[in-house]
Every structure is written in structure tokens, then in C-alpha cells.
Amino acid sequence: MKRTIFTTLLLACSFAVCLAAISSITGNWTTTMRPGNGTEFAVTYTFKAEGDKFTGNVAFPNNNNFPITDGVIKGDSIHFTVSLNGNGIPNYGKVYADSIGLDITMMGKKYHHTLVRAK
């Protein structure tokens, strides 16, 4: 009986920790993009989560901002679309306690980026 109660409490605490990590995507996250031509630049993602949905924008250098639409959170997974010059760019990611692993498919190529919370 004690073992069952302990196991139940342990699972409940684990679930609470995971939920807290997921709900904390609200805010600014940064990454460095390297498009393959020898250059690199910082990009800032701003997320605003409301329940299992979120919105935001992606800020590139020179004040180029693009909206995030269709943002969905399922467990530790997220997916959303970035509207870039009339094209919807799909983004899929996994949320960790201190980062977000993000896969972006653009022009037939898949790119992986790690977002870290902006300081």
C-alpha cells in the first residue's frame, strides 16, 4: 500500500515538473542561424503561451519580424508556422527545461536549431 502511494506521488510530481517546463515557453528565446554561405546571425523567437496554444514572432536582424501562427503544445512537443514572405514555414520542436530543440523545413532542406532563453 505504501509503495503504491509513493509511486503515485512520484508520478504526479514528475508530471507537474514536465508541465511547468512546458508552460514556461512564454518569453524570448535566441539561436544563431548559419545559412551555409559562411555567415551567421542571431534570431530571437518570442512565444506567448495560453494553455495548449501559443503565438508570437521571429525577429531577424534589421528589424525583420515574422508572425508565428498555429502554435500548439502537446506534452513536451510544439509545432507552429512562421509566415515568411507569404510562405508558411513549418517548425517542430521539443521543449526541455533549459532549451528548445527546433526543426525547420525550408526549400526542401531540414535545419535543426537549439533555442536558449534570452538573457
Side-chain angles (χ1 to χ4, degrees):
M1 180 70 168
K2 288 182 182 179
R3 186 175 187 168
T4 303
I5 292 172
F6 177 74
T7 303
T8 303
L9 287 173
L10 184 63
L11 288 172
C13 289
S14 296
F15 179 73
V17 167
C18 289
L19 191 58
I22 298 306
S23 66
S24 69
I25 71 165
T26 294
N28 295 328
W29 298 80
T30 61
T31 189
T32 301
M33 291 195 173
R34 295 169 183 86
N37 60 3
T39 63
E40 62 181 46
F41 51 90
V43 177
T44 301
Y45 286 73
T46 301
F47 298 123
K48 182 179 180 197
E50 294 178 17
D52 63 349
K53 307 256 186 248
F54 66 94
T55 59
N57 70 53
V58 181
F60 287 85
N62 300 323
N63 293 321
N64 291 321
N65 295 314
F66 301 96
I68 292 173
T69 59
D70 306 321
V72 176
I73 302 169
K74 275 191 177 175
D76 63 352
S77 297
I78 61 172
H79 69 284
F80 58 94
T81 302
V82 175
S83 298
L84 183 67
N85 300 327
N87 295 316
I89 309 297
N91 291 251
Y92 296 88
K94 185 167 180 172
V95 180
Y96 301 96
D98 60 348
S99 64
I100 298 174
L102 195 62
D103 291 321
I104 303 166
T105 303
M106 211 163 108
M107 294 187 286
K109 290 186 177 182
K110 190 175 189 177
Y111 300 92
H112 180 80
H113 296 282
T114 301
L115 309 179
V116 294
R117 193 161 299 272
K119 296 179 183 182

